[in-house]
């Protein structure tokens, strides 16, 4: 029976080894015994290898170290915290409390190429914000010191003042490894949205050009979020959202979204008015009065000023043929009986299509033939494009929080509006996508996912990652009982989920809305042998005999095993009792874990019978190395399990 190897199984995904495997698949002749013959590789690449010192490159002090940090494996784990979770047994959502660099490393195996969309709102590097350190040897130890789980050695997480002399460098060294790891988690058609302001926008774009490739730049969104009346040279009234794809060629040709709360209001109003008012003239007069009173709040739907028995509609000038000569034919005006004015480049539709639209009453005419015809477009068919310029009051994010936390004056600084993030998610991902935010702050992203799912009956899932950064004792949040930013995020998700359910209680299918989340907290390994103390090898050897840390629970170890095997942390886990021992069946029998002592042959036979019952294609089994009743049982266990075609058996 093999033991889980601390070097291969006890750490997060080995990115260097994975890179070599990918290189080996493309160029097998340059790899020998897991080493790369760089001379041979250069010969294969010919003139495409850059060797000159003077070349176009984005560089800064510490970049090599940042690259190394991204490739260093984590020996930490994520410990389940049921008491802070919601709907633990059914939810598909995750909230990870810990340093996001370590969390991203631990997520590499279970979520490799599974994330459709990443949104992050990292520190803008204004000189006042919290910046993660970049020059540490062991990031897990640094995190444990910061959270008080280990004795501090003088290292502090702090703001990045421009007086340090490494203002931009510190920020780049913080972002580089995180973006590199994040890219690995994206699906081939995945995208990342990054909020930023002018302090680091230029550096972020260059960093992403290198990380994702210039050819995968999707665009830069300008979010006009404030009105600046201060006397300055240029009034800064915007932030940027930089958007990159994992592989732009894999994206949909166009991004359109049918999700719009304003559209829903117009459709509902139209249904109500057409049901109550049968006279066409009265119907239009009533709607026109409402339209004038609410036009300023209709945003991009402020042209939908007409109504008929089929609902609210507008006229669209999309009969024009864009860019080149289109179709030419006459359309007679119903009143003057003369040909209507044609678009400059002709019509975009053939004549038979226009005749069909005329028969269906979907063509709008002007007062006479001098106006080009328009298409009748109903609000219910409205789809929105993602504009490169978005105008949305930045204070809406604070209002979102105030509605959830009316008892706290100011809970969080500059939260993003739910409507803004919902917009990004609805355009860039389907309704079953996995969304990741590893600078989650007050958890606006989680709120947005739940809100969007309620709107379109989606089943999107999220992973939030947030450092338990302490709230200043002077803040309203601390005075209200929230010790860390992570505490704020978790409570926001709890309240937002209940509020969304309440607001949509009459909607079909709302009862299936996932408003839960599993909380996991970053910590050192549960297994002593994977946490070797190099200064006390003798104690480490003694620990190997009884190698589970005494303060850790079986479920702590169970989820560490899931991480090491690269299994989704939300997979269903069923507890079975066989011969008085607890078995955990993960993924309907794909993995069975037994962490009890004094395992007998009766338990082993029970595992074999469980395989026949659940009938997984392959079953993997894990025991504690010293969990067997005696050496004979341990030896015979392998033979018994082989009879049931269970060959992958390991011990901790």
């Amino acid at each position: 029976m093999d033991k889980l190897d601390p070097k291969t199984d006890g750490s997060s995904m080995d990115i260097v080894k994975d890179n070599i495997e990918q290189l080996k698949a493309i160029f097998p002749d340059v790899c020998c015994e897991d080493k790369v013959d760089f001379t041979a590789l250069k010969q294969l690449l010919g003139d495409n290898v850059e060797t000159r010192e003077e070349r176009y490159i984005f560089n800064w002090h510490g970049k090599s170290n940042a690259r190394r940090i991204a490739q260093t494996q984590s020996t930490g784990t994520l410990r389940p915290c049921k008491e802070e979770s919601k709907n633990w047994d059914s939810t598909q959502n995750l909230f990870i409390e810990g340093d996001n660099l370590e969390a991203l490393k631990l997520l590499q195996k279970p979520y490799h190429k599974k994330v459709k969309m990443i949104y992050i709102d990292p520190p803008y590097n204004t000189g006042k914000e919290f910046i993660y350190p970049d020059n540490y040897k062991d990031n897990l130890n640094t995190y444990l010191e910061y959270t008080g789980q280990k004795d501090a050695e003088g290292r502090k997480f702090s703001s990045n003042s421009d007086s340090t002399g490494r203002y931009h460098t510190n920020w780049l060294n913080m972002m580089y490894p995180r973006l590199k790891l994040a890219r690995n988690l994206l699906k081939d058609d995945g995208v990342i949205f990054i909020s930023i302001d002018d302090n680091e926008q230029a550096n972020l774009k260059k960093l992403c050009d290198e990380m994702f490739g210039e050819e995968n730049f999707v665009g830069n969104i300008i979010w006009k979020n404030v009105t600046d009346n201060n006397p300055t040279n240029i009034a800064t009234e915007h932030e940027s959202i930089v958007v990159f794809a994992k592989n732009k060629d894999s994206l949909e040709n166009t991004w359109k979204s049918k999700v719009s709360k304003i559209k829903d209001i117009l459709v509902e109003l139209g249904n109500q008015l057409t049901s109550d008012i049968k006279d066409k003239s009265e119907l239009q007069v009533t709607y026109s009065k409402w339209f004038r009173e609410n036009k300023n709040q209709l945003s991009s739907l402020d042209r939908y000023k007409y109504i008929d028995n089929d609902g609210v509609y507008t006229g669209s000038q999309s009969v024009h043929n864009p860019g080149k000569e289109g179709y030419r034919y006459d359309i007679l005006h119903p009143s003057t009986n003369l040909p209507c004015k044609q678009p400059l480049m002709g019509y975009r539709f053939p004549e038979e299509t226009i005749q069909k639209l005329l028969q269906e009453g979907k063509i709008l005419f002007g007062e006479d033939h001098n106006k080009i015809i328009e298409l009748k477009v109903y609000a219910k068919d409205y789809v929105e494009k993602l504009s490169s310029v978005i105008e949305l009051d930045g204070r809406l994010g604070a209002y979102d929080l105030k509605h959830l936390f009316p008892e706290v004056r100011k809970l969080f600084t500059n939260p993003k509006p739910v409507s803004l993030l919902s917009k990004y998610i609805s355009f860039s991902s389907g309704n079953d996508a996995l969304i990741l935010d590893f600078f989650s702050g007050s958890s606006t992203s989680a709120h947005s996912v739940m809100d969007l799912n309620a709107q379109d009956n989606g089943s999107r899932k999220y992973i939030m990652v947030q450092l338990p950064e302490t709230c200043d004792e002077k803040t309203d949040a601390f005075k209200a009982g929230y010790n860390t930013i992570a505490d704020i995020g978790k409570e926001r998700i709890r309240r937002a989920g209940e509020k969304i359910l309440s607001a949509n209680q009459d909607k079909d299918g709302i009862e299936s809305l996932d408003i839960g989340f599993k909380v996991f907290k970053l910590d050192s390994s549960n297994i002593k042998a994977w946490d070797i103390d190099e200064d006390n090898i003798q104690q480490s050897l003694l620990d190997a005999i009884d190698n589970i840390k005494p303060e850790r629970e079986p479920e702590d170890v169970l989820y560490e095993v899931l991480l090491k095997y690269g299994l989704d942390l939300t997979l269903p886990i069923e507890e079975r009792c066989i011969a008085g021992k607890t078995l955990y069946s993960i993924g309907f029998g794909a993995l069975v874990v037994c962490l009890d002592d004094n395992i007998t042959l009766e338990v082993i036979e029970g595992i074999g019978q469980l395989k026949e019952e659940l009938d997984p294609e392959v079953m993997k089994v894990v025991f504690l190395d010293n969990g067997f009743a005696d050496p004979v049982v341990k030896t015979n266990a392998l033979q018994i399990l082989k009879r049931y075609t269970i060959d992958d058996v390991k011990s901790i």
Side-chain angles (χ1 to χ4, degrees):
M1 183 179 300
D2 295 330
K3 292 188 69 173
L4 286 170
D5 187 345
K7 292 183 179 179
T8 58
D9 300 305
S11 300
S12 59
M13 178 176 169
D14 188 337
I15 295 175
V16 173
K17 183 178 180 181
D18 184 63
N19 289 339
I20 293 173
E21 290 298 323
Q22 293 184 53
L23 190 62
K24 189 186 296 184
I26 304 172
F27 303 114
D29 48 338
V30 304
C31 298
C32 180
E33 296 182 344
D34 290 331
K35 301 293 182 182
V36 177
D37 184 340
F38 196 62
T39 301
L41 179 60
K42 287 195 292 185
Q43 291 172 347
L44 287 175
L45 297 176
D47 295 335
N48 293 308
V49 177
E50 181 62 81
T51 58
R52 295 173 300 167
E53 290 186 7
E54 293 185 5
R55 62 185 187 275
Y56 179 76
I57 188 172
F58 182 43
N59 212 349
W60 66 88
H61 178 72
K63 182 178 180 180
S64 297
N65 192 47
R67 184 183 288 114
R68 179 188 63 78
I69 289 169
Q71 296 176 158
T72 303
Q73 294 173 270
S74 174
T75 56
T77 191
L78 298 175
R79 296 178 65 187
C81 184
K82 285 188 175 182
E83 63 271 19
E84 296 182 22
S85 305
K86 183 171 185 175
N87 300 342
W88 177 274
D89 292 327
S90 60
T91 185
Q92 298 289 299
N93 302 315
L94 298 179
F95 186 102
I96 298 173
E97 186 174 308
D99 171 46
N100 53 16
L101 180 58
E102 289 299 294
L104 287 169
K105 290 179 180 180
L106 292 171
L107 294 175
Q108 293 295 301
K109 284 184 181 179
Y111 295 99
H112 184 64
K113 288 189 173 183
K114 291 184 179 179
V115 176
K116 172 60 177 174
M117 185 259 199
I118 296 173
Y119 170 78
I120 56 171
D121 184 14
Y124 284 7
N125 208 17
T126 61
K128 300 176 182 179
E129 295 165 294
F130 177 92
I131 292 291
Y132 295 68
D134 67 285
N135 58 347
Y136 39 80
K137 179 182 178 182
D138 186 340
N139 188 59
L140 180 61
N141 278 334
T142 306
Y143 167 74
L144 295 176
E145 290 169 9
Y146 174 76
T147 54
Q149 299 176 60
K150 291 187 67 172
D151 292 335
E153 298 175 356
R155 187 179 305 285
K156 300 290 184 183
F157 286 14
S158 62
S159 60
N160 184 36
S161 170
D162 54 9
S163 63
T164 63
R166 297 183 63 196
Y167 182 57
H168 297 294
T169 294
N170 288 341
W171 189 86
L172 287 165
N173 285 333
M174 182 267 293
M175 291 296 293
Y176 183 95
R178 290 165 173 82
L179 288 178
K180 191 171 185 66
L181 291 165
R183 184 184 181 278
N184 294 338
L185 299 178
L186 282 175
K187 299 173 67 175
D188 289 338
D189 62 349
V191 289
I192 184 169
F193 288 66
I194 309 173
S195 285
I196 201 69
D197 70 3
D198 288 344
N199 284 289
E200 296 292 353
Q201 193 276 341
N203 283 332
L204 176 64
K205 172 62 167 62
K206 286 186 283 188
L207 181 60
C208 288
D209 281 341
E210 177 173 324
M211 197 68 64
F212 295 91
E214 291 182 68
E215 68 279 7
N216 293 315
F217 175 59
V218 179
N220 188 54
I221 299 171
I222 302 300
W223 173 31
K224 186 183 183 307
N225 57 350
V226 296
T227 299
D228 188 352
N229 295 317
N230 296 314
T232 56
N233 298 110
I234 299 177
T236 302
E237 300 182 337
H238 75 282
E239 294 179 13
S240 298
I241 299 93
V242 177
V243 186
F244 272 82
K246 175 81 168 284
N247 182 351
K248 193 175 179 180
D249 291 339
S250 297
L251 295 185
E252 303 87 345
N253 291 331
T254 58
W255 277 352
K256 297 283 187 180
S257 174
K258 295 181 179 180
V259 178
S260 168
K261 289 186 177 181
I262 296 175
K263 178 184 80 171
D264 293 342
I265 291 171
L266 291 182
V267 171
E268 185 177 345
L269 177 66
N271 291 339
Q272 179 184 332
L273 292 180
T274 53
S275 174
D276 296 342
I277 304 172
K278 302 306 179 185
D279 181 79
K280 291 184 179 180
S281 298
E282 184 184 352
L283 179 64
Q284 183 63 59
V285 168
T286 303
Y287 176 69
S288 295
K289 181 177 183 297
W290 181 93
F291 181 84
R292 287 192 299 271
E293 294 171 350
N294 295 277
K295 182 180 179 181
N296 292 337
Q297 302 178 55
L298 296 181
S299 186
S300 55
L301 283 87
D302 64 357
R303 295 179 63 248
Y304 283 75
K305 55 185 178 181
Y306 307 109
I307 190 170
D308 63 15
N309 289 334
D310 291 324
V312 174
Y313 68 91
T314 187
S316 169
Q317 297 177 344
S318 58
V319 294
H320 298 251
N321 197 59
K324 61 181 181 180
E325 182 68 15
Y327 298 96
R328 295 288 183 180
Y329 44 79
D330 287 337
I331 299 175
L332 301 182
H333 191 276
S335 298
T336 66
N337 206 31
L338 294 174
C340 292
K341 182 180 179 180
Q342 292 188 11
L344 179 64
M345 302 300 292
Y347 295 107
R348 65 184 303 173
F349 308 111
E351 188 171 4
E352 54 267 28
T353 300
I354 288 290
Q355 292 300 324
K356 184 173 183 296
L357 292 171
L358 281 167
Q359 293 171 9
E360 295 172 349
K362 293 184 177 179
I363 297 295
L364 300 178
F365 293 91
E367 292 185 1
D368 59 31
H369 56 276
N370 292 311
K371 187 177 185 302
I372 299 173
I373 64 168
E374 293 183 340
L375 294 178
K376 182 187 287 189
V377 179
Y378 287 95
K380 60 187 177 185
D381 299 321
Y382 172 78
V383 290
E384 187 178 1
K385 67 177 182 180
L386 182 54
S387 174
S388 64
V389 179
I390 295 173
E391 188 168 350
L392 186 69
D393 192 337
R395 294 172 296 183
L396 291 176
Y399 296 155
D400 291 336
L401 276 181
K402 192 64 178 177
H403 291 153
L404 294 174
F405 298 86
E407 75 279 10
V408 185
R409 187 179 67 87
K410 185 177 182 181
L411 186 68
F412 192 79
T413 303
N414 299 325
K416 293 296 184 286
V418 171
S419 55
L420 184 72
L421 268 59
S422 295
K423 182 185 291 286
Y424 301 155
I425 296 169
S426 68
F427 277 102
S428 63
S429 59
N431 65 3
D432 60 349
L434 176 60
I435 314 298
L436 169 65
D437 183 347
F438 53 90
F439 285 98
S440 63
S442 68
S443 294
T444 302
S445 296
H447 188 165
S448 301
V449 168
M450 293 187 293
D451 185 65
L452 198 55
N453 283 342
Q455 291 185 56
D456 65 0
N457 293 318
S459 55
R460 300 170 187 84
K461 301 172 285 291
Y462 64 74
I463 301 175
M464 300 291 109
V465 184
Q466 176 57 41
L467 186 84
E469 180 186 351
T470 54
C471 298
D472 191 290
E473 294 183 5
K474 298 178 182 178
T475 61
D476 295 329
F478 185 86
K479 294 173 183 177
Y482 301 102
N483 295 324
T484 69
I485 301 299
D487 291 338
I488 294 172
K490 287 176 287 189
E491 182 60 20
R492 181 196 187 148
I493 300 173
R494 296 185 193 102
R495 296 191 184 194
E498 293 297 336
K499 193 174 185 68
I500 292 169
L501 271 185
S502 176
N504 295 274
Q505 56 185 328
D506 297 329
K507 189 170 184 178
D508 291 341
I510 195 64
E511 65 279 356
S512 63
L513 180 67
D514 187 354
I515 61 170
F517 59 100
K518 289 185 174 183
V519 175
F520 288 87
K521 297 191 177 185
L522 178 66
D523 209 330
S524 59
S525 173
N526 302 289
I527 303 165
K528 296 175 186 176
W530 293 351
D531 212 15
I532 295 173
D533 184 354
E534 295 180 1
D535 297 327
N536 194 344
I537 298 297
Q538 183 177 1
Q539 183 60 47
S540 294
L541 291 173
L542 291 173
D543 288 343
I545 300 172
D546 185 13
N547 60 344
I548 304 299
K549 294 178 180 176
E551 71 275 14
R552 303 300 172 89
E553 299 296 328
E555 282 198 335
D556 294 332
V557 182
L558 173 64
Y559 278 98
E560 182 161 4
V561 172
L562 262 65
L563 279 173
K564 307 316 176 188
Y565 269 106
L567 297 176
D568 190 321
L569 295 176
T570 63
L571 280 174
I573 299 177
E574 180 187 5
E575 287 189 29
R576 294 282 187 112
C577 184
I578 297 179
K581 305 300 179 183
T582 300
L583 300 182
Y584 298 98
S585 171
I586 299 99
F588 305 104
L591 174 66
V592 172
V593 180
C594 181
L595 302 172
D596 284 348
D597 295 326
N598 297 312
I599 300 300
T600 63
L601 292 180
E602 186 180 358
V603 177
I604 305 301
E605 286 285 353
I607 294 174
Q609 293 167 14
L610 183 62
K611 182 177 188 297
E612 292 186 339
E613 175 191 338
L614 299 177
D615 195 28
E617 186 175 344
V618 176
M619 177 181 279
K620 300 177 181 181
V621 182
V622 176
F623 301 99
L624 290 179
D625 192 53
N626 58 353
F628 296 90
D630 55 54
V632 175
V633 173
K634 185 175 182 179
T635 302
N636 290 334
L638 286 174
Q639 301 307 316
I640 293 171
L641 292 175
K642 281 184 178 179
R643 282 198 284 107
Y644 291 97
T645 66
I646 302 174
D647 298 316
D648 192 338
V649 184
K650 285 193 169 72
S651 63
I652 300 173

